[in-house]
């Protein structure tokens, strides 16, 4: 399988999950600032993924997935022995999917595009920061009595949450008011497979919060 990624983006999430699951991926970096976007091998990325954004995961049979939340579920199910996702049919499975939807709609899309595109204006950025802070309050309360979003065990939801909340460090959002969330980020960052993924993408591997 091949993962098309860009360092520091949400493509970090399936990268982490693959390493946690013991799945080897071919990595191909995408220059998302180029016009048109180009892969490391020189291909026009929009010809690979018409949506034009990372991540994109090409399976062994040529099938292409282009949404990170779908990728991490699939990767986890390839290696059920790692317990990265609850089985279908149990309530925990739908609670995990609830987290994935929350992270995607309430966190991911508050950071991007609003904080990543200053052309939307200062007011839009201010509103986005207020919403992000509200969501961080919820995460902080949730994590007060548990190590990970689903409890004691690391799941794909933590990989996605980590990849998104990590943007706080680059967008001047202080996590000090959220001590449980801050401790959680440090906990996830200290996992060996997370360190491997960060290092492979040329990102800071030490705790950065």
């Amino acid at each position: 399988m091949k993962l098309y990624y860009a360092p520091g983006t949400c493509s970090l999430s399936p990268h982490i999950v693959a390493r946690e699951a013991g799945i080897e991926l071919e990595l191909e970096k995408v220059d998302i600032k180029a016009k048109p976007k180009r892969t490391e091998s020189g291909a026009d990325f929009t010809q690979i993924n018409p949506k034009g954004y990372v991540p994109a995961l090409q399976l062994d049979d040529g099938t292409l997935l282009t949404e990170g939340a779908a990728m991490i579920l699939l990767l986890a199910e390839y290696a059920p022995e790692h317990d990265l996702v609850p089985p279908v049919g149990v309530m925990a499975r739908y609670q995990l999917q609830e987290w994935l939807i929350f992270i995607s709609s309430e966190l991911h899309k508050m950071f991007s595009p609003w904080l990543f595109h200053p052309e939307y204006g200062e007011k839009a950025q201010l509103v986005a920061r207020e919403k992000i802070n509200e969501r961080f309050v919820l995460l902080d309360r949730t994590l007060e009595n548990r190590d990970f979003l689903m409890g004691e065990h690391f799941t794909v939801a933590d990989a996605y949450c980590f990849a998104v909340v990590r943007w706080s460090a680059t967008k001047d959002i202080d996590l000090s008011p959220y001590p449980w969330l801050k401790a959680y980020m440090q906990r996830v960052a200290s996992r060996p497979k997370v360190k491997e993924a960060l290092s492979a993408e040329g990102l800071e591997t030490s705790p950065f919060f």
Side-chain angles (χ1 to χ4, degrees), residues 4-20:
Y4 293 92
Y5 79 101
T9 68
C10 61
S11 57
L12 177 62
S13 174
H15 189 178
I16 288 173
V17 171
R19 289 181 181 269
E20 290 277 354

Side-chain angles (χ1 to χ4, degrees), residues 165-209:
V165 177
R166 189 179 180 278
W167 294 334
S168 301
T170 63
K171 296 301 173 185
D172 298 321
I173 297 177
D174 183 13
L175 292 188
S176 296
Y178 318 104
W180 299 103
L181 177 59
K182 182 176 180 179
Y184 164 82
M185 292 297 290
Q186 292 170 334
R187 190 178 305 118
V188 176
S190 70
R191 294 177 66 83
K193 297 302 180 181
V194 175
K195 288 182 178 181
E196 285 181 14
L198 291 168
S199 178
E201 294 193 15
L203 302 172
E204 178 61 55
T205 59
S206 60
F208 33 75
F209 293 97

Side-chain angles (χ1 to χ4, degrees), residues 91-159:
M91 181 54 64
R93 172 70 173 225
Y94 308 107
Q95 291 170 329
L96 179 136
Q97 290 179 315
E98 187 175 36
W99 275 118
L100 294 181
I101 293 167
F102 172 82
I103 296 164
S104 175
S105 61
E106 299 296 328
L107 279 179
H108 190 159
K109 290 306 177 184
M110 281 292 103
F111 274 98
S112 176
W114 307 114
L115 297 192
F116 286 87
H117 293 277
E119 64 269 22
Y120 284 115
E122 184 176 345
K123 184 175 181 180
Q125 294 215 354
L126 179 61
V127 171
R129 288 177 182 276
E130 290 175 350
K131 290 294 185 182
I132 289 168
N133 285 330
E134 289 175 8
R135 303 312 181 233
F136 281 4
V137 168
L138 174 63
L139 286 174
D140 196 58
R141 290 173 180 168
T142 298
L143 292 163
E144 183 173 355
N145 297 309
R146 61 181 77 175
D147 288 339
F148 301 105
L149 292 176
M150 293 290 293
E152 297 180 0
H153 300 292
F154 179 90
T155 69
V156 297
D158 298 299

